[in-house]
Amino acid sequence: MQLDWTTTYAAIWRQRKEYLRPVKNCDPVSLQDLLGIEEQQQKLQENTERFLNGEAANNALLWGARGTGKSSLVKAIFNAYVDQGLRLIEVDKDDLIYLPEIVDEIRDLPQKFIIFCDDLSFSEEERNYKHLKSVLEGSVEVSPSNVLLYATSNRRHLLPEMAKENLGTKVVDGELHYTDAVEEKISLSDRFGLWLSFYPGTMDQYLAIVDSLFSDYSGDRKKLHEAAKLFALARATHSGRTARQFFQSYSTDR
């Protein structure tokens, strides 16, 4: 089924039926909702604006600690520029085998597309990443000018790195020469021209996010902060995701 991208703004690939399902209720997260990742936001915005303006732009890999806003930033970028013709297609890593066909369907359309792969990483046995490499760069056909790939991952190199693979790495005439196994793994992430790193925030940043979520709260802020700290301690993390989970669970009637 060919989608009408003038009225469809986002879609998700469904493997079993092998079709793009239109998304009717997109996550409404906005750039103003995101705190503590201003530098990453600015760089991804600049890259996206170049893409929309028909200028050279890079595929982007957002990597780092869990719950730090990587996926939210991609969705917020989409929401910010959807009125300028930006469209979003979400593809699960297990469905990357279909990626060339998905790209073929949209390469000649007037809209600009972000292919979004969330939580992208591969085990030692998986080989789906080879389909991703050919779309990013490496096929005999030039990559379409109206398609970019934005991926999030907890790993910088997307594939597991074993200590034994580095045993053959050597320095020759001042240059580092990796083993073939390491080269194979690095070559995938190297195809993303824009790397954005995300790190765990401080407790003060966590509480700032809590305050932004409870902007209309008129109760005791000190009590609210103590509850938020206990909530984070129980989960051993104080990320933006933790702050939102606290917001969804905390009763303001206390």
Side-chain angles (χ1 to χ4, degrees):
M1 178 181 68
Q2 183 68 47
L3 294 180
D4 180 1
W5 288 104
T6 62
T7 56
T8 298
Y9 304 121
I12 299 175
W13 178 258
R14 292 306 190 204
Q15 182 189 72
R16 188 170 65 82
K17 293 185 178 180
E18 295 189 7
Y19 87 118
L20 286 169
R21 181 182 67 80
V23 176
K24 296 181 179 180
N25 297 305
C26 296
D27 188 332
V29 61
S30 70
L31 294 173
Q32 291 70 34
D33 296 331
L34 307 178
L35 298 176
I37 54 173
E38 288 78 13
E39 182 179 351
Q40 296 93 327
Q41 176 180 318
Q42 179 183 354
K43 290 181 178 179
L44 196 61
Q45 274 191 266
E46 291 173 351
N47 190 67
T48 305
E49 288 173 2
R50 288 196 299 270
F51 176 51
L52 291 171
N53 291 332
E55 303 171 15
N58 283 308
N59 299 298
L61 175 62
L62 291 69
W63 73 276
R66 68 187 191 278
T68 49
K70 301 184 295 295
S71 302
S72 294
L73 178 54
V74 175
K75 290 182 285 188
I77 287 287
F78 160 67
N79 289 330
Y81 294 100
V82 65
D83 290 339
Q84 297 183 34
L86 186 63
R87 300 294 182 258
L88 188 75
I89 297 176
E90 184 172 356
V91 180
D92 187 83
K93 72 159 189 174
D94 293 331
D95 299 333
L96 289 176
I97 187 174
Y98 301 101
L99 193 54
E101 284 76 15
I102 294 172
V103 171
D104 282 345
E105 285 189 17
I106 61 177
R107 66 168 56 243
D108 296 322
L109 298 180
Q111 293 83 10
K112 302 284 188 174
F113 291 87
I114 296 295
I115 305 292
F116 177 39
C117 292
D118 195 23
D119 195 20
L120 186 64
S121 62
F122 303 93
S123 69
E124 189 67 24
E125 296 77 23
E126 290 178 298
R127 291 293 178 266
N128 283 2
Y129 68 88
K130 293 186 180 295
H131 300 282
L132 179 60
K133 287 174 70 173
S134 64
V135 169
L136 288 171
E137 184 183 335
S139 171
V140 68
E141 186 174 27
V142 175
S143 299
S145 60
N146 69 330
V147 178
L148 281 183
L149 191 136
Y150 286 0
T152 69
S153 179
N154 294 332
R155 292 177 181 157
R156 182 179 57 167
H157 287 148
L158 302 177
L159 289 149
E161 298 174 68
M162 307 299 179
K164 63 182 180 180
E165 295 171 348
N166 289 289
L167 295 179
T169 298
K170 61 184 70 175
V171 176
V172 179
D173 295 330
E175 293 185 356
L176 191 63
H177 290 259
Y178 294 105
T179 63
D180 291 342
V182 176
E183 286 283 2
E184 169 76 3
K185 295 183 175 183
I186 293 177
S187 69
L188 176 57
S189 55
D190 273 353
R191 282 171 163 78
F192 292 90
L194 177 62
W195 286 10
L196 298 176
S197 306
F198 291 72
Y199 301 98
T202 65
M203 181 59 73
D204 286 342
Q205 290 173 324
Y206 167 69
L207 293 177
I209 297 173
V210 170
D211 282 336
S212 71
L213 293 170
F214 286 90
S215 58
D216 298 328
Y217 182 62
S218 59
D220 187 339
R221 286 276 165 180
K222 184 176 180 181
K223 181 179 178 182
L224 178 69
H225 285 182
E226 288 302 318
K229 289 178 181 179
L230 288 174
F231 188 89
L233 183 63
R235 284 152 182 77
T237 178
H238 46 263
S239 66
R241 179 183 296 160
T242 308
R244 181 162 294 280
Q245 290 170 344
F246 171 70
F247 172 72
Q248 293 168 341
S249 65
Y250 187 75
S251 172
T252 56
D253 297 330
R254 301 182 195 186

